[in-house]
Amino acid sequence: MARNPAAIDMFIIGATFTDWFTSYVNNVVSGGFPIIRDQIFRYVHDPECVATTGDITVSVSTSFLPELSSVHPPHYFFTYRIRIEMSKDALPEKACQLDSRYWRITNAKGDVEEVQGPGVVGM
């Protein structure tokens, strides 16, 4: 069975606790692990989770939430960040503004969840 190489990115490893802790702190300080509402998140970006249409690029990063997850019964929780960018070469008249959202989310088992409505959490 082939392993997903991105899955190992969910863990921080080190030869010693000091190595592990130093790596963790460096990621927090550099913004690699953002702090949102006093909670540290470890987001992983998969280059395959990027789509471009015209001058707009949308990318997704995910973060595993072990504090909300359990093995028995198996429930694994993730949070995600969506980044929407206009091309630097886009003409001013092509500018756009996000006024609603519709996401079709498919998990590893093929289950589909749809999210839609106004507003965006964050910026």
Side-chain angles (χ1 to χ4, degrees):
M1 178 173 160
R3 286 185 1 174
N4 178 355
I8 195 67
D9 290 338
M10 298 308 284
F11 301 95
I12 306 165
I13 57 173
T16 66
F17 175 76
T18 304
D19 289 345
W20 173 87
F21 189 69
T22 301
S23 174
Y24 187 83
V25 169
N26 286 339
N27 275 290
V28 171
V29 170
S30 71
F33 299 174
I35 300 172
I36 304 169
R37 295 187 189 111
D38 297 328
Q39 188 172 3
I40 298 171
F41 289 88
R42 167 71 167 101
Y43 283 95
V44 175
H45 176 70
D46 181 348
E48 291 185 26
C49 294
V50 177
T52 300
T53 303
D55 291 323
I56 301 172
T57 299
V58 178
S59 60
V60 180
S61 300
T62 59
S63 179
F64 176 60
L65 300 176
E67 66 277 9
L68 298 179
S69 300
S70 66
V71 177
H72 300 290
H75 295 287
Y76 304 102
F77 287 87
F78 290 80
T79 183
Y80 60 91
R81 296 179 87 180
I82 307 294
R83 183 177 180 103
I84 303 171
E85 296 177 278
M86 288 287 296
S87 166
K88 292 178 180 147
D89 300 328
L91 300 173
E93 59 268 16
K94 296 282 187 173
C96 62
Q97 181 176 348
L98 182 66
D99 61 0
S100 64
R101 61 192 171 137
Y102 172 79
W103 306 117
R104 187 167 190 263
I105 304 165
T106 306
N107 70 15
K109 293 193 275 184
D111 300 328
V112 176
E113 179 182 353
E114 295 182 359
V115 177
Q116 59 186 338
V120 178
V121 176
M123 296 185 280

